[in-house]
Amino acid sequence: MKRDDRRQSILDALVRDGAVQLDELAERFGVSKMTIHRDLDDLETEGLLRKIRGGATIEPGSQFESDFRFRQLQGHDLKERMARAALEWVEPGMTVMVNDGSTASVLGSLLPEKRPLTVITNNDAVMEALKAEPGMTVIALGGRYSAKYNAWIGRVTEGALATLRADLAFISTPAAGDGRAYHMDDDITRAKRGMMDAAAQSVLLINHLRFDRTALHVLADFSEFAAVITDAEPSEAARAQIEATGAALKVAKSG
């Protein structure tokens, strides 16, 4: 198997399983462990995975979030449940901000159900989904494009946000613990923070597996959100931290 084909197979396995083991990969492809090490090193340099002892993962760490292309392929049903719950906060005529992220992109695709709306976003998938929809006014935040997050970030993005105001901001996060939401990327954190500062209310979207974690940058305290939406019951500690702030907790269960 050619190198590029082998590396694509590694990425496919990561999307399917979330993690891979070095020994198993070497045996599967009939190559040395050193060859797999080099493959994983190169893919890590590209920001596509995070090396761990004995293998690699696309699960987030304190300084790592997986590529948007991976996240977009995972857990669509639970993301749609969360997006449906978030949609209950939206009323026709509102101005709504939607941040980066795969769950946010699912929410963006549902927003026409509440038209007419004005949607301010740095999420390229949301821009693409809404740009031709009647009754939807899209304000696309420019800036520097990040393929990893499929989003527009940086000073231009932040400058535009400083001149805008919205009724509601939907903010997603890969980590929350100790009563706070976190993110591992500074540019992404500042863009999210800019949306929160520009909105009358903010709603946090978070997978329940991302509770009880921290990341490099503090985004906001739970107290700054009107509601926290997740896909399954969080831990008792996380629930207590949310309830102590007065924020509403919404668990978007299946069925």
Side-chain angles (χ1 to χ4, degrees), residues 198-212:
Q201 285 188 312
S202 298
V203 173
L204 182 67
L205 307 175
I206 177 171
N207 183 300
H208 78 284
L209 298 174
R210 306 296 181 92
F211 282 110
D212 307 310

Side-chain angles (χ1 to χ4, degrees), residues 20 33-34 37 50 60 76 79 114-115 117 124 128 139 143-144 152 157 163 177 218 245 249:
V20 293
K33 293 181 183 179
M34 185 56 65
H37 265 303
R50 174 169 61 95
H76 182 81
K79 291 172 184 174
K114 298 286 188 171
R115 70 185 92 202
L117 293 173
D124 204 66
E128 187 64 29
I139 299 177
R144 171 170 50 86
W152 300 83
T157 311
T163 68
V218 174
T245 68
L249 174 62

Side-chain angles (χ1 to χ4, degrees), residues 9 14 47 51 84 111 152 192 209 223 233 238 250:
S9 292
L14 283 165
K51 288 186 73 176
R84 287 281 173 198
L111 286 175
W152 300 83
K192 292 176 188 290
L209 298 174
S223 60
E233 289 290 344
K250 172 67 175 179

Side-chain angles (χ1 to χ4, degrees), residues 44-55:
E44 184 176 49
T45 299
E46 294 177 36
L48 296 174
L49 55 78
R50 174 169 61 95
K51 288 186 73 176
I52 57 176
R53 185 177 180 85

Side-chain angles (χ1 to χ4, degrees), residues 176-179 211-212 222 234-244 249:
D178 301 324
F211 282 110
D212 307 310
F222 286 156
S235 68
E236 291 184 9
R239 173 179 283 276
Q241 291 161 9
I242 295 166
E243 291 177 347
L249 174 62

